[in-house]
Amino acid sequence: MRRPGGWWRVKSTPEKVETYTRWSFHFFGVIEILALGVTAYGRTGAGLATALCLLVTVHATACMLVSSRALDWTRGRRPQPVRPMWALVVVSAVVSITAVVIAERGPSGEVETAAGSVYGGVLCYAAGVITLGVRGWRRRVAVVGAFAVGAGLLTFPLEMPLLASVVLAGLVMVTGGFLAATSIFSLWLLNAVYALDEAKETRVRLAVAEERLRFGRDLHDVMGRNLAVIALKSELAVQLSRRGRPEAVEQMIEVQRIAQESQREVRDVVRGYREAALEVELAGARGVLSAAGIVSEVTGETAGLPAEVQSALGWVVREATTNVLRHGDAKKVAVTVRMSEGRVVLTVENDGVAETTGDGPGDSAVTGGPAGTGGSGLSGLRERLSAVDGTLEAGPVGRGVFRLTAEVPLPAAAAGAALGVAS
C-alpha cells in the first residue's frame, strides 16, 4: 500500500514544479471565486449574490480549463487551445454583460459595487489566462489591450463618465497585465527547470559516451599490439612445427604468456587503473619488434619525466609499435626521446611504408603507418596528448620512411630535473 504523499515523492523535480505551477493557476480561479463571488453576499441580497457567485464560478472554471490546456500546449503535449480560449472570451463577455445588466436594472446601492467588481475582475482574470495560450510579447500585449478597450466600451450602457471609463480600462490593463506577467513568468520558470533537467541528462549521456570511448580506446591500445604479436608467433610456431623443429614449443609458450598478459591488462582497463609507463613501453616495444624479426634502436633518457607525460608518450610508443607490426614491411625501427627547450620530443621512424599508385579518392599514399590507416589509433593518441597540451605529427618523410613525432611541454621543475639527468 502506497504511503500518504508517495505520489509526490515519485515525481521528478520538473514534474513537481509543473504540478505546483498548474495548481497555482487553479488557485487563481479559487481566488477569483472568493474575491468576486463570495464577497457579493455581503454587498447585496442573497438572490443577486448567488447569481453573481454562479457567474464567477463558471468563469473561474473556464479559466482553470484554459490555463491547464495552455500549460500542456507549452510543454508540447496538446495543440494550441484556440477553441477553449475563444470560449473563455465568450464566457467573459457574457458574464461582464450580465453584470452590467444587473448593475443597471438591479436595486441601486451596494449591488452596483458588487456587479462592478465582477465586471472588471472577470476581464482582468481572462486577460491574464488567455496570454498563456499565445506566443510573443506583441500578441500578449494585444490581448491585454483588447480586454482593456472592451472593458471601457462596455461601460457606455451604464452612462458612466468618460473619465471613469478610461480609469476602468486602465485598471483592467494594469491588473490584467500584472496577472499575465505573473503567469508567463511561471511558464518561463517551468520551461527553464525542464531545460536544466534535460541538460543534466545530456551531460550524463555525454559522460557515459566519453567513458565508452575511453574504454574502447584503451582496449584497442592494449589488445592491438599483443594480438599482432600472438599472430606472428603463432604463424612462426606453425612453420616450425611443420619442419619438426623443437623451437615451436617455445614460441607457443611465449604466445601463452602474451595471452595471459593481455588478460591482466584487460582487467586493468576494466578497473580503470591502468597507466602506461614510457620506460616499460620502450622495453616492451624492443622485445616484440625483435620477436618479429625487426631491428629496433632506442635512444634517449626517460628519467625525471612527470608521470602524466610518461603515460601519454607510453601510449604513443605502444600505438606506433602496433602499427609497425600490422602495416607495411618494416625492417628497422628507431625510437628517439630527447629534450628540446622545455619540451620532450618522441620520434618513431620505420622503413616499412609501401608506396601506392592509385589515383582514386580512396587510395592512400601511405599504408605502413598510422597516418595512412586513418583509424581510431591516431585520433586516440591526439586525445591523450591533448590532455597534457601535447601535439602529434605523422606522415612519410623521404622514400619509404614513415615518421611519428610527439611533443609534450614540460613543467618548469620537471624540465630542469630532466635536463639535469640528461647532462
Side-chain angles (χ1 to χ4, degrees), residues 92-115:
S92 301
V94 171
V95 172
S96 299
I97 293 174
T98 304
V100 169
V101 171
I102 292 176
E104 184 178 15
R105 299 185 179 182
S108 60
E110 293 294 333
V111 66
E112 295 182 357
T113 303

Side-chain angles (χ1 to χ4, degrees), residues 266-288:
V266 169
R267 285 194 295 268
D268 290 341
V269 169
V270 173
R271 294 170 184 170
Y273 298 142
R274 187 174 184 276
E275 292 291 342
L278 180 57
E279 188 67 31
V280 175
E281 294 300 329
L282 289 174
R286 187 185 296 110
V288 296

Side-chain angles (χ1 to χ4, degrees), residues 6 17 26 31 43 59 65 84 92 107 114 129 136 195 218 233 239 288 292 294 302 329 354 388 392 395 410:
V17 176
H26 294 341
I31 293 178
R43 298 176 179 178
H59 185 268
L65 176 62
S92 301
V129 170
D218 288 354
K233 287 187 171 293
Q239 297 296 331
V288 296
I294 302 174
T302 61
D329 188 20
V388 290
L392 181 70
L410 290 173

Side-chain angles (χ1 to χ4, degrees), residues 76-102:
R77 304 190 190 106
R78 289 177 180 269
Q80 187 178 16
V82 177
R83 291 183 178 179
M85 288 192 298
W86 280 111
L88 178 59
V89 172
V90 172
V91 171
S92 301
V94 171
V95 172
S96 299
I97 293 174
T98 304
V100 169
V101 171
I102 292 176

Side-chain angles (χ1 to χ4, degrees), residues 33 36-38 40-41 48-58 118:
I33 295 173
L36 303 179
V38 176
Y41 283 96
L48 289 177
T50 301
L52 291 174
C53 188
L54 290 175
L55 289 174
V56 172
T57 301
V58 171
V118 172

Side-chain angles (χ1 to χ4, degrees), residues 354-360 363-365:
E355 299 292 338
T356 64
T357 57
D359 298 329
D363 297 325
S364 175

